[in-house]
Amino acid sequence: MNKVICDVCGTDYPESAAQCPICGCARAGGQASSVPLENGEAEKSAYTYVKGGRFSKSNVRKRLKASQVQESRIVDTGDHDELNDSEQDEGQEERRGSNLGLIIVIILLLLAIIAVSIYIAVSILGIGDTTDPVGTAGPGQTTSQPASTDDPDVLRVPCTGMTLETPSVELVALDSVWTLKVQLQPENTTDKLVFISGDESVVVVDEQGNVTAVGPGETVIEIICGDVKVECPVSCVFEEDVTNPTNPDDPIDPTDPTDPPEVPDGFVLKLNRTDFTLAAKGSTWQVYRGEVDASEITWSSDNEAVATVVNGLVTAVGHGSTQIHAEFNGQKVSCWVRCPFADEEPTEPETPEDPDAPTEPAPTVYTIRINGLVPYYGNGSNEVDTSWKVGETFSLTVEDEMGARKDIQWQIPDKTVCSIEGKTVTCLAATKKMLITGEYEGVTYTVTLRISEDTAATEPAEGTE
C-alpha cells in the first residue's frame, strides 16, 4: 500500500484517504505526492491549491497543532525510553548488590575454613611447630626455653621399682618406732615416696617412713612411688604398761628436777645402729656417742629378758630380739637388737666325775632356714616370721650348724593358702598370719607365714650371719 504526504502539514497517510487526517486538506485532483509505504521518501509533487491557501491562518494553526502533536509523540517516546533505561539501571544495581553480598559471604566462609585448618594443623597435628622443648633442634631450627621446674612433668625420672630392707615389721611395745628403709630404682627418681597406714588405730606412719605403734592388731603399710606400689605387713603385739599409774591428785615432789636439760643448738638425737646382732650372752654394744651425756637420755628395752640398756650400753641377756629406745627433749629414736644364740640349760649340781664314765656328745642345735638363711624375725632357732607375695616360692629347711638338713613333715592348716612339695613352699592366696609347724626330736618348729595380694616379685628375706 502507498502513502501520500500532505502538502500543508507534511503528514503521510494512506493513498486511499480523501484528505489529510491531521489538517483536513484534501488532495487536489488526487495529484498529491505519494510515497511507497515500504520504500524511502518519494519526491513531492508540485504544489496544488487548497481551500484558504497554504498560509492561511486556519491552515497555519492546523500545521502548528499537527507539529505539536508530533513533537509530543517524540517526547513521550523519549521519556519512555529514559524510564526503561532507569528501570534497567535500577535492576542492574539490585542484581549487582545481591551479587556483592553473596561474594562477601563466600569470602568469609573461605576465611573461616582456612583458620580452622591452620588451628588443626598447629594444635593437634603439630605441623609448623618449630620449638624443641628438650633443646635437641638441629641447625636452622628454633628451640624453646626449658619449662619451669615447678612443672612436675619436666625432666621427670619415673620410679621403676622398690625394695624393702625388711619385708614385715613387728612392734612389741606401745609407742615403739620402726623406720622403713626403701631402696628405689633408679636412685635418682624424681617421684615422691608416700607411706600410707592401712589402720591408724594400729600404727601411724610419717613422711620419712617412721612407723609408730598405737594399738594392738595387724595392718599393712602401703608404700607408693610414682606408678610402683608395695606393701609391708605390720603387727603390734604388746600389753599396756599399768605398773606405775599416775594419780593426778598426788602431790608434786619438790625434789623432782623441773628445769629441762640444756640442749646444744641443732642437736639431733641419733644412734649409731638401727639393727645389730649380739652373738653371745653377755656381749655388749654402745649404741650412742654424742654431744649430750648418755645419762641425761632416757633409755628403755622392750624385753629385758633379751637385752638390757644402761646409758646407751646394750647387753645381751637371752635368746630373741627386741627394740632399744632412747628419748631426749621430745626426740625419740629406736634400734633393733637380735640375740640368735641358744639359751643355756639349767645346770645340775656338779658330781664327781667318773673317769671311766663315757662322755656324752654335746646336743646338736637345729635352726629353721628360709632360702638357706636364718630370718631376722623370730628367735633364730625354731621360730621364724616371714612375708611373701601371692605366687612366690621359697625353700623351707631345718639344718644344723654344719648345714645338714633334717627331714621334717610340715603341717599346713589351710592348703588353699600355700602348698609344700619337698622343701619348696608355694604361696597361693593372701593371709595375714598362718602357722606352719613341724616336729623333730621332740622340738616343735614354727613358721609364721604372711602373704599379701600384690603379685610383684620381692627380694628374699634377709638372713643373719
Side-chain angles (χ1 to χ4, degrees):
M1 178 182 296
N2 293 331
K3 289 186 177 182
V4 295
I5 298 174
C6 179
D7 294 333
V8 176
C9 63
T11 302
D12 55 339
Y13 57 90
E15 185 181 17
S16 60
Q19 58 184 12
C20 176
I22 300 303
C23 62
C25 293
R27 290 186 299 163
Q31 298 299 322
S33 299
S34 64
V35 61
L37 182 60
E38 302 296 331
N39 299 329
E41 183 178 358
E43 293 183 359
K44 296 183 181 179
S45 61
Y47 175 72
T48 303
Y49 174 80
V50 293
K51 184 180 180 179
R54 182 174 183 179
F55 297 102
S56 63
K57 293 182 179 180
S58 60
N59 289 333
V60 170
R61 284 196 300 270
K62 290 180 181 179
R63 284 198 306 271
L64 291 174
K65 184 177 181 180
S67 64
Q68 291 175 355
V69 170
Q70 192 170 11
E71 288 175 359
S72 66
R73 290 179 178 175
I74 295 172
V75 172
D76 292 341
T77 303
D79 294 340
H80 181 68
D81 294 339
E82 292 176 1
L83 180 60
N84 290 337
D85 293 340
S86 175
E87 291 176 353
Q88 292 177 359
D89 293 341
E90 291 177 359
Q92 292 178 357
E93 291 293 336
E94 291 177 358
R95 288 191 296 273
R96 189 178 297 110
S98 177
N99 293 337
L100 181 60
L102 181 60
I103 292 172
I104 293 175
V105 171
I106 293 174
I107 291 174
L108 292 177
L109 289 176
L110 290 176
L111 291 176
I113 293 173
I114 293 172
V116 172
S117 301
I118 294 175
Y119 174 80
I120 293 175
V122 175
S123 301
I124 299 179
L125 302 180
I127 299 174
D129 187 7
T130 59
T131 60
D132 184 16
V134 294
T136 58
Q141 297 178 341
T142 60
T143 59
S144 63
Q145 294 295 328
S148 172
T149 55
D150 294 335
D151 188 349
D153 293 330
V154 173
L155 301 178
R156 175 177 178 246
V157 180
C159 178
T160 59
M162 285 190 290
T163 303
L164 290 178
E165 185 176 299
T166 53
S168 62
V169 176
E170 181 177 355
L171 302 176
V172 296
L174 183 65
D175 294 330
S176 58
V177 180
W178 177 268
T179 301
L180 295 174
K181 295 185 178 180
V182 184
Q183 295 180 353
L184 301 178
Q185 295 89 32
E187 294 182 355
N188 63 336
T189 178
T190 58
D191 290 340
K192 185 178 180 182
L193 193 61
V194 179
F195 300 89
I196 302 175
S197 172
D199 187 352
E200 293 191 348
S201 65
V202 178
V203 294
V204 294
V205 59
D206 61 16
E207 296 180 354
Q208 286 72 41
N210 298 315
V211 182
T212 304
V214 177
E218 296 180 348
T219 186
V220 173
I221 299 296
E222 188 175 40
I223 308 168
I224 303 173
C225 186
D227 299 329
V228 182
K229 180 180 71 174
V230 297
E231 293 181 348
C232 179
V234 180
S235 61
C236 297
V237 182
F238 50 84
E239 296 181 358
E240 295 183 359
D241 184 8
V242 294
T243 56
N244 296 311
T246 301
N247 187 352
D249 297 331
D250 291 342
I252 299 176
D253 186 357
T255 61
D256 291 342
T258 56
D259 295 334
E262 294 183 1
V263 182
D265 293 339
F267 173 76
V268 178
L269 180 61
K270 292 182 179 180
L271 303 181
N272 55 31
R273 291 289 186 275
T274 58
D275 196 321
F276 64 98
T277 300
L278 297 177
K281 183 177 181 179
S283 57
T284 60
W285 181 264
Q286 182 69 38
V287 296
Y288 171 79
R289 291 181 177 89
E291 299 177 74
V292 176
D293 191 274
S295 61
E296 297 183 4
I297 300 174
T298 302
W299 300 91
S300 63
S301 170
D302 288 343
N303 189 349
E304 293 188 350
V306 175
T308 60
V309 58
V310 178
N311 294 335
L313 182 65
V314 182
T315 303
V317 176
H319 179 83
S321 59
T322 186
Q323 271 194 310
I324 301 299
H325 306 286
E327 187 171 1
F328 176 76
N329 195 35
Q331 302 182 48
K332 186 174 182 179
V333 293
S334 304
C335 70
W336 278 94
V337 56
R338 306 180 189 280
C339 303
F341 54 84
D343 290 331
E344 296 179 356
E345 297 291 337
T347 58
E348 296 181 358
E350 295 184 358
T351 57
E353 294 184 357
D354 184 359
D356 298 330
T359 59
E360 295 182 358
T364 303
V365 177
Y366 301 100
T367 59
I368 299 175
R369 295 180 181 267
I370 303 294
N371 289 339
L373 302 174
V374 178
Y376 277 134
Y377 300 101
N379 60 12
S381 179
N382 64 327
E383 294 181 3
V384 299
D385 192 319
T386 183
S387 300
W388 299 88
K389 309 291 183 182
V390 174
E392 291 184 326
T393 60
F394 62 90
S395 65
L396 176 61
T397 58
V398 174
E399 305 175 7
D400 61 13
E401 295 179 353
M402 302 302 294
R405 296 175 182 171
K406 302 304 174 183
D407 186 16
I408 293 182
Q409 298 297 322
W410 297 101
Q411 303 298 322
I412 301 177
D414 189 351
K415 294 184 178 181
T416 63
V417 174
C418 71
S419 63
I420 185 168
E421 183 175 352
K423 64 184 180 64
T424 302
V425 178
T426 302
C427 301
L428 302 176
T431 180
K432 290 185 176 180
K433 185 177 182 181
M434 187 178 75
L435 300 181
I436 301 176
T437 58
E439 187 173 346
Y440 182 75
E441 293 184 352
V443 178
T444 300
Y445 296 86
T446 303
V447 178
T448 301
L449 179 62
R450 307 174 194 273
I451 306 175
S452 61
E453 290 285 356
D454 190 357
T455 57
T458 59
E459 297 293 332
E462 296 183 1
T464 58
E465 296 181 358

